[in-house]
Amino acid sequence: MSGALPCVAVVGVGRLSRPMVVRLRRAGHGVTVSNRTRERALDVAAETGAQVVNSPREAAASAGIVIVSLSDDQAVREVYEASDGLLAGLRPRATVLETSTISPETVLALVPQVQERGAVLLDAPVSGSVELATRGELTVLAGGSKEALDRVRPVIDVLATRVLHFGDSGRGSVMKLAVNSLLLSMATGLAESLVLAERAGVSRADAYDAFTQSAASSPFMLYNRTNFVRPQEAATHMTLALVAKDLALVDALASSVGAPMAQMTASRGLIAQALAAGLGEQDGSVLAEFLRSGAVTPPGVPRAASRTTRPHHP
């Protein structure tokens, strides 16, 4: 392994950050990992030879570049601010790549704390699937110092094929929420349209193939085909609970800037019903199954009057 390559710490081993560790190690980087559930860190270490440490503080102390990938704002704040947290171990002149999907306000609150340590924080959430992460084809949506971003490009380029910079701190997180708002609206629309075609007599597979060969096609639709067409084989790309978390962040951002979000409001209503039905830990594509169940109450319609027609098969 070349000593010229920077060492990287990864705090949080999840669906997207795990393949990041794999790619960084294959590229020759020394990698230290820290995760609240230690077994996940040990698992990726066994595969890659990454070093496992006991705390975010130790992880940050080990490297000049720190990648943070966590589930929500509370987890991020705890990881930075705890007594054994990232800030306590952060090196001067280090760069933190905050890839979590979190509120821009959380990013802006963390920036000065990182600066007090003589380091730089970039909000750098990523867009893409596990498959794209595995191939190193993510898109990075970055906010913060362009100079700092340029310095860490050799590491980012192992993980992503597109790096989009939006200017000041927080704007990368703004764009991640905007992208996710669009994707999650697509997901609910896809579920509704698929069930519509099924009930009108078109087979599920044929309907999905038509979607992917129409103007509606997108990478999102292509990599979710199995989950929507054969839900019994569904892999978990993003749980419905995390979908709901992201839409709550979108709602808060929209409220703060006065942006009308009628589609998001409708999606949140459907997702709230699915969560109440106990589907929160399933992949977001479970919305199609929920619609098929006939348990959905349209807005403003009493449950007893909601549509419960069984699917019509050709």
Side-chain angles (χ1 to χ4, degrees):
M1 181 172 64
S2 171
L5 291 175
C7 292
V8 181
V10 177
V11 178
V13 181
R15 292 186 181 90
L16 288 183
S17 54
R18 190 186 196 283
M20 290 182 189
V21 173
V22 173
R23 288 196 59 81
L24 289 167
R25 288 293 296 143
R26 287 178 179 171
H29 292 275
V31 179
T32 302
V33 294
S34 169
N35 194 68
R36 182 172 58 182
T37 305
R38 186 173 173 82
E39 288 73 17
R40 286 189 180 182
L42 291 172
D43 178 65
V44 74
E47 178 183 348
T48 65
Q51 180 182 0
V52 177
V53 293
N54 294 319
S55 69
R57 177 185 59 78
E58 292 181 65
S62 73
I65 299 173
V66 183
I67 297 173
V68 181
S69 180
L70 299 168
S71 59
D72 56 36
D73 291 63
Q74 180 178 344
V76 167
R77 286 190 293 266
E78 290 174 355
V79 156
Y80 279 76
E81 297 171 354
S83 58
D84 61 350
L86 186 154
L87 290 170
L90 197 58
R91 295 179 178 181
R93 297 183 297 280
T95 301
V96 181
L97 298 173
E98 181 49 75
T99 70
S100 313
T101 302
I102 55 175
S103 163
E105 284 75 16
T106 296
V107 171
L108 293 175
L110 291 171
V111 166
Q113 297 183 66
V114 171
Q115 289 176 338
E116 287 174 3
R117 297 286 176 173
V120 177
L121 185 144
L122 298 171
D123 47 312
V126 297
S127 180
S129 64
V130 172
E131 291 82 0
L132 292 177
T134 301
R135 299 201 300 264
E137 297 175 3
L138 295 167
T139 296
V140 172
L141 309 169
S145 165
K146 181 65 163 56
E147 292 74 19
L149 181 63
D150 289 342
R151 286 197 301 270
V152 296
R153 280 297 297 263
V155 168
I156 292 177
D157 288 346
V158 174
L159 311 174
T161 51
R162 290 165 297 277
V163 180
L164 308 177
H165 183 246
F166 299 97
D168 295 342
S169 295
R171 291 183 182 172
S173 292
V174 166
M175 276 312 306
K176 179 58 187 295
L177 294 181
V179 168
N180 277 16
S181 177
L182 177 57
L183 288 175
L184 300 177
S185 293
M186 289 170 61
T188 54
L190 174 57
E192 289 180 347
S193 296
L194 187 62
V195 174
L196 171 65
E198 287 181 71
R199 288 196 172 185
V202 179
S203 77
R204 187 181 304 172
D206 286 348
Y208 207 96
D209 286 343
F211 296 152
T212 62
Q213 296 175 57
S214 73
S217 184
S218 67
F220 173 85
M221 190 174 291
L222 292 172
Y223 72 67
N224 274 293
R225 187 183 193 283
T226 297
N227 280 22
F228 278 93
V229 175
R230 298 193 300 277
Q232 70 278 6
E233 302 173 20
T236 303
H237 297 306
M238 184 177 186
T239 66
L240 197 63
L242 282 178
V243 169
K245 182 271 294 185
D246 281 8
L247 286 180
L249 291 175
V250 172
D251 196 3
L253 176 61
S255 296
S256 72
V257 298
M261 301 290 287
Q263 180 63 58
M264 179 212 65
T265 301
S267 294
R268 289 193 77 189
L270 174 61
I271 290 166
Q273 292 185 55
L275 291 176
L279 303 177
E281 294 309 307
Q282 297 192 45
D283 183 73
S285 60
V286 76
L287 286 176
E289 289 289 271
F290 183 56
L291 290 167
R292 290 185 191 103
S293 74
V296 180
T297 303
V301 178
R303 180 169 294 276
S306 64
R307 185 186 301 272
T308 56
T309 307
R310 293 183 182 276
H312 174 75
H313 298 289

